[in-house]
Amino acid sequence: MCETRSMKRHAPATERNREPLLAVLREVLPATGRVLEVASGTGQHAAWFARALPHLTWQPTDVDAESLESIEAWRAGEDLPNLLPPRQLDASAASWPQADADVILNVNMIHISPWAACQGLMRGAGRVLPPGGLLILYGPYFVEGRQTAPSNLEFDASLRARNPAWGVRTLEAVTAEAALNGLERERVVDMPSNNLTVVFRKPRPPGSPR
């Protein structure tokens, strides 16, 4: 038990954003199905959302080995039948180990990874999601025509100082990348601390049942 507890990593931002994000998820997620969380990080979100949404099967993933250990530690501590063991997944890879999901959730990844990760995420969502499936993103974005919060400008500068390939992305660029992979932006929700939740959907063929 002590070893499992020591493997748990904690991200303060997760504690702050989980309730507002859960409120949006309750509105948009389907009644049943599998949620593929890409870049689960510490695993705190996976444990929290799986407990709050027992009607959905939750598949956490990450590319980082230490993150996978932390996710498993959180999972072991929760003992939830709908929270699956974590799988290693690189969002930018040409193929993913997960071949199907009704929803893909990606929280706070796009700005702390190279643009290739966003491109890979969109390609993967286009492959994996069924017609009507959702891709849900959460994080900071620059939005054309909207005054940028000073905190986001400072955050962007700090990210680029750490890694020139990182940075806050424009919502328009992310939306365009999604469109290239057959995903339509359906909803944008303002969140605390100048973040956004962005919901994309893979369209159903005309005349198909909803």
Side-chain angles (χ1 to χ4, degrees):
M1 178 65 72
C2 291
E3 183 179 357
T4 298
R5 188 175 300 149
S6 68
M7 290 179 178
K8 285 184 177 180
R9 296 163 63 185
H10 294 78
T14 302
E15 302 290 334
R16 294 192 297 269
N17 64 35
R18 64 185 188 180
E19 287 280 9
L21 184 50
L22 177 60
V24 177
L25 294 180
R26 289 190 190 279
E27 293 181 9
V28 302
L29 290 179
T32 61
R34 181 184 298 263
V35 178
L36 173 63
E37 185 182 4
V38 175
S40 300
T42 63
Q44 290 166 271
H45 272 153
W48 175 261
F49 294 144
R51 177 171 292 281
L53 303 165
H55 56 288
L56 295 166
T57 300
W58 209 271
Q59 176 62 72
T61 71
D62 208 278
V63 67
D64 176 67
E66 289 187 4
S67 293
L68 292 171
E69 289 181 352
S70 178
I71 297 165
E72 177 56 29
W74 280 99
R75 189 185 78 89
E78 292 293 327
D79 191 27
L80 296 170
N82 63 321
L83 180 55
L84 302 178
R87 305 184 72 177
Q88 190 165 39
L89 186 151
D90 180 354
S92 63
S95 63
W96 290 358
Q98 185 72 31
D100 64 297
D102 301 288
V103 178
I104 295 174
L105 175 67
N106 182 247
V107 177
N108 282 336
M109 181 199 80
I110 289 177
H111 58 282
I112 53 171
S113 56
W115 181 244
C118 177
Q119 293 174 312
L121 175 66
M122 297 305 176
R123 286 194 302 269
R127 289 192 310 269
V128 168
L129 290 174
L134 298 176
L135 168 64
I136 303 172
L137 308 180
Y138 172 91
Y141 294 91
F142 294 138
V143 181
E144 186 176 334
R146 179 186 291 192
Q147 184 174 359
T148 301
S151 60
N152 276 3
L153 290 172
E154 293 168 4
F155 185 43
D156 179 60
S158 69
L159 289 171
R160 295 182 187 278
R162 290 166 59 191
N163 188 326
W166 295 1
V168 176
R169 313 301 181 182
T170 68
L171 180 59
E172 291 72 25
V174 173
T175 299
E177 198 64 41
L180 289 175
N181 292 279
L183 304 172
E184 297 179 352
R185 196 176 80 198
E186 183 172 273
R187 186 174 179 184
V188 179
V189 183
D190 288 311
M191 305 294 284
S193 303
N194 302 306
N195 290 297
L196 298 176
T197 296
V198 188
V199 181
F200 296 91
R201 187 180 296 274
K202 188 173 184 177
R204 295 180 175 88
S208 63
R210 299 187 67 82

